Amino acid sequence: MSVHDLMKEYIETGRIKIDKSKHPELTTYHDPCNYARKSERTFGHGYYEEPRWITQQCVDNFVDMHPNRANNYCCGGGGGAWASPYAEERIHYGRVKAKQIKDTEAKLLVAPCHNCRDQIMKAITPEYDLDVETFYLWELLSEAIVVEPWSEEEIEKSRAEAAAQWEAFGVELDEEEDDDDDWVPPET
């Protein structure tokens, strides 16, 4: 299972709740070569729709780059280029992606690949004077999650489920004493 599938499942099943108002800015999505075209060629499934869907669950204002999906432009940071000593060439190659980003007028860009994120955020954005903030997909999602405290019933239910799981796996846990109330800070 891909992290894209897992995040999508958590949203669809209601395991996590999202507040779209956390990201009001116009947002676009960059298709990384590895998760998109390479995954499609290697595994028979490119991650084009899942990350877009996740992004659109986290924001109200979404605009796609053109071209996109399998035809989206490479940012210039993949294939080991980000870690290579050829920064000038890498940044020059990224000019096409910079124009594509500018054309969207987005203020927030989602790039799930670490090479793409670094190339766009640390090289292309300053070099081509882009007015955009770059996020990982998981980072966008984590900032949009609504955190609600659990009720006592939910806490007890989760403890019972955990105990049953440990028992099913044959794991015996040592009971720990709760010494937090007796803790005294060391003297300096």
Side-chain angles (χ1 to χ4, degrees):
M1 173 181 272
S2 163
V3 68
H4 300 99
D5 298 319
L6 185 65
M7 288 188 282
K8 189 170 186 275
E9 177 185 311
Y10 283 2
I11 296 168
E12 288 177 327
T13 61
R15 185 168 180 175
I16 57 176
K17 294 178 182 82
I18 297 172
D19 178 2
K20 287 185 172 189
S21 71
K22 303 262 179 134
H23 300 289
E25 46 290 276
L26 184 61
T27 304
T28 192
Y29 176 78
H30 165 71
D31 292 282
C33 297
N34 280 337
Y35 293 139
R37 292 180 290 268
K38 185 176 178 183
S39 287
E40 187 170 25
R41 187 178 61 239
T42 306
F43 306 113
H45 179 77
Y47 285 92
Y48 302 107
E49 303 311 320
E50 297 86 350
R52 268 183 182 73
W53 184 86
I54 294 163
T55 299
Q56 291 172 6
Q57 302 313 298
C58 297
V59 303
D60 271 327
N61 302 309
F62 179 80
V63 60
D64 229 334
M65 292 186 203
H66 293 286
N68 55 53
R69 295 171 173 78
N71 296 315
N72 203 344
Y73 298 121
C74 176
C75 68
W82 176 251
S84 77
Y86 304 108
E88 188 176 317
E89 292 84 353
R90 178 175 41 78
I91 291 169
H92 177 74
Y93 185 74
R95 76 192 185 289
V96 176
K97 177 53 71 178
K99 180 177 181 336
Q100 190 183 30
I101 293 167
K102 270 188 184 178
D103 288 348
T104 68
E105 299 182 0
K107 299 297 177 202
L108 182 62
L109 179 137
V110 178
C113 167
H114 65 94
N115 284 327
C116 297
R117 176 189 167 269
D118 287 349
Q119 166 75 345
I120 293 167
M121 184 175 78
K122 297 176 182 177
I124 293 174
T125 296
E127 180 68 26
Y128 297 104
D129 197 31
L130 298 178
D131 183 21
V132 68
E133 186 174 4
T134 306
F135 275 47
Y136 287 118
L137 182 60
W138 63 262
E139 186 178 23
L140 178 80
L141 178 60
S142 69
E143 287 195 5
I145 291 176
V146 175
V147 180
E148 297 172 341
W150 280 9
S151 66
E152 288 299 321
E153 294 82 24
E154 289 172 314
I155 293 170
E156 286 306 313
K157 180 182 173 191
S158 70
R159 286 182 177 154
E161 288 172 355
Q165 187 176 34
W166 288 119
E167 185 177 330
F169 289 140
V171 176
E172 292 184 31
L173 299 175
D174 294 333
E175 292 293 321
E176 292 184 22
E177 291 184 35
D178 185 9
D179 291 334
D180 288 346
D181 294 334
D182 301 331
W183 184 80
V184 178
E187 293 194 24
T188 55

